[in-house]
Amino acid sequence: MKFRKSKNSNVDVDMTPMIDMTFQLIAFFMFTINFNNELVELGIKLPMAERARPPDRVNVPPLILNVRNNGWMETGTNIGIIDLTDPAAKPKLEQFLKAQYEFIKSELKIKFDLDGPTEEYKALAIVRADQDCPYGPVQTLIRACRDAGFTSFSLRSLLPERR
Amino acid sequence: MIRTVGQSGRLWRWDVEIKRKAPAKKVQSDMTPMIDVVFQLLVFFLFTFKIAPMEGEIGVNMPPADMGSSVSQQPPDFQKIPVLLFADDNGELEYIKIEDDPLDDSDGARGLKTLTERLLASKAEAETAEMQVEVQIDADPRLRYFWIIRGINAIQRADIEAINFQDPQPKS
């Protein structure tokens, strides 16, 4: 039986729909990416608060403090982890918070020519504590923040699901 | 066809353009590098994409360290209500006190509902005297943070937004 030999034709695949879709996807990811989330530890189980409000827009990036259920806090700097349950770690905590406060002050000076935080331009410390963490370490942290100069605090929680 | 010739007798560039009438050729550009880069970007965004739950905030007032937190530092039209939260050995909420008065915990919510009711009454009293209310939370350091937020929820249900923290007190 003889088969007819087909011509070796050059088939042009239309790439346009695929490129369109790919650009759509890239645009979506670009608009939804939030590099601030890098400061947030997703392993922390936040408690639910009924009347928590969505985070306010701030002029200066806030200090985000992640407290794990064992009372440890990851600083994200060369200081490493601070055990908030250990009184001996207090100098390390003070050093870290002082440095962070000075950084915020320098940001205020550079960006807004302010000598320190004001009512509008706050030095905000956000506490993201695990719901199973004892209150003692959280209280130690808030006190230390206040001693370092922070006067504005907020406790992070999950927002209730809307129905 | 328009034919223009420059003074020097040579054809200028625009002359050539006007003259050209050949059918436009289909230009085949190589799409491979662009698709490569686009896929690299797509893979990067796919791997860095995190679905984080929506988070909210609860504002807390903390006076500067040099001001302390004594009653005398408060404005005169501010009524401070101390709320004490006590923990059992497992860190769960055992009972609540307003000042020295233990709350009834038979409400099925370890006294949190009673706390809201009592605070609503205190707030109404304070408002008749044209005063504002600030709640000072004083909790056992062993208490789970979960209960602190539940306590704040109960306080906020009484429409009180001014919340402050007192130094942790050991269980009495």
Side-chain angles (χ1 to χ4, degrees):
Chain A
M1 196 172 165
K2 257 190 171 180
F3 289 102
R4 196 191 295 169
K5 205 177 175 184
S6 64
K7 270 188 184 171
N8 193 9
S9 59
N10 197 1
V11 181
D12 269 347
V13 181
D14 188 8
M15 304 287 271
T16 319
M18 192 196 72
I19 294 168
D20 281 354
M21 272 308 298
T22 315
F23 274 113
Q24 293 272 359
L25 282 169
I26 287 180
F28 167 76
F29 285 120
M30 276 178 75
F31 284 111
T32 54
I33 199 163
N34 183 2
F35 287 105
N36 276 347
N37 276 348
E38 300 304 314
L39 303 168
V40 167
E41 260 189 69
L42 291 174
I44 287 174
K45 259 171 70 184
L46 293 176
M48 177 87 72
E50 290 162 20
R51 294 206 176 197
R53 55 174 202 275
D56 293 330
R57 272 186 78 93
V58 283
N59 297 310
V60 187
L63 171 64
I64 298 176
L65 303 158
N66 296 288
V67 185
R68 296 178 189 162
N69 58 1
N70 55 1
W72 289 11
M73 183 180 77
E74 173 58 70
T75 61
T77 64
N78 55 0
I79 294 173
I81 290 172
I82 297 174
D83 183 0
L84 296 170
T85 58
D86 182 11
K90 205 181 169 197
K92 222 159 74 164
L93 177 64
E94 284 171 353
Q95 182 201 342
F96 167 70
L97 293 174
K98 205 84 198 159
Q100 295 296 318
Y101 183 69
E102 289 304 319
F103 173 73
I104 289 177
K105 262 179 83 174
S106 66
E107 287 277 297
L108 284 167
K109 185 75 189 166
I110 294 162
K111 289 183 181 166
F112 308 107
D113 197 26
L114 292 167
D115 292 326
T118 62
E119 196 60 38
E120 192 184 349
Y121 298 91
K122 291 173 181 171
L124 175 66
I126 293 174
V127 178
R128 291 184 78 253
D130 195 289
Q131 65 174 2
D132 295 324
C133 172
Y135 171 61
V138 179
Q139 180 70 350
T140 305
L141 181 61
I142 293 176
R143 294 260 146 210
C145 283
R146 200 190 64 173
D147 294 345
F150 290 91
T151 50
S152 188
F153 296 92
S154 69
L155 308 176
R156 275 282 164 98
S157 64
L158 292 181
L159 286 172
E161 285 174 18
R162 297 192 188 282
R163 288 173 190 173
Chain B
M1 183 167 63
I2 303 162
R3 265 178 167 273
T4 48
V5 179
Q7 286 179 345
S8 60
R10 60 182 276 217
L11 280 174
W12 295 92
R13 193 161 58 85
W14 53 84
D15 301 332
V16 176
E17 280 172 9
I18 292 164
K19 213 169 62 173
R20 190 171 59 196
K21 216 182 170 183
K25 273 185 187 171
K26 198 179 175 187
V27 180
Q28 288 276 348
S29 59
D30 188 8
M31 303 291 271
T32 321
M34 191 194 74
I35 293 168
D36 282 353
V37 172
V38 165
F39 273 109
Q40 292 276 355
L41 280 169
L42 191 62
V43 167
F44 166 75
F45 283 119
L46 270 167
F47 280 102
T48 54
F49 189 66
K50 287 177 196 163
I51 302 168
M54 283 293 288
E55 292 182 9
E57 286 182 354
I58 300 166
V60 176
N61 305 323
M62 291 295 276
D66 53 350
M67 274 181 69
S69 56
S70 63
V71 181
S72 59
Q73 299 290 346
Q74 295 289 349
D77 59 346
F78 240 86
Q79 187 191 348
K80 200 166 75 169
I81 302 174
V83 171
L84 292 87
L85 307 172
F86 293 85
D88 63 14
D89 294 333
N90 298 320
E92 303 298 329
L93 182 65
E94 195 172 18
Y95 62 96
I96 305 169
K97 277 183 177 179
I98 289 184
E99 290 179 70
D100 290 329
D101 183 16
L103 298 186
D104 175 24
D105 58 357
S106 60
D107 56 1
R110 301 196 189 208
L112 290 168
K113 282 183 185 168
T114 317
L115 174 66
T116 306
E117 286 162 15
R118 285 284 298 274
L119 288 175
L120 274 168
S122 301
K123 193 176 179 240
E125 269 176 41
E127 277 173 355
T128 51
E130 293 185 348
M131 291 178 83
Q132 292 179 53
V133 171
E134 185 190 72
V135 171
Q136 186 109 41
I137 296 175
D138 182 353
D140 191 317
R142 298 170 305 168
L143 186 67
R144 271 174 66 211
Y145 182 66
F146 168 81
W147 289 109
I148 300 290
I149 298 294
R150 290 288 299 271
I152 291 173
N153 278 343
I155 294 163
Q156 287 184 328
R157 251 180 263 135
D159 285 330
I160 297 170
E161 291 296 326
I163 298 165
N164 199 344
F165 283 108
Q166 182 67 281
D167 280 324
Q169 301 290 318
K171 187 183 173 186
S172 60

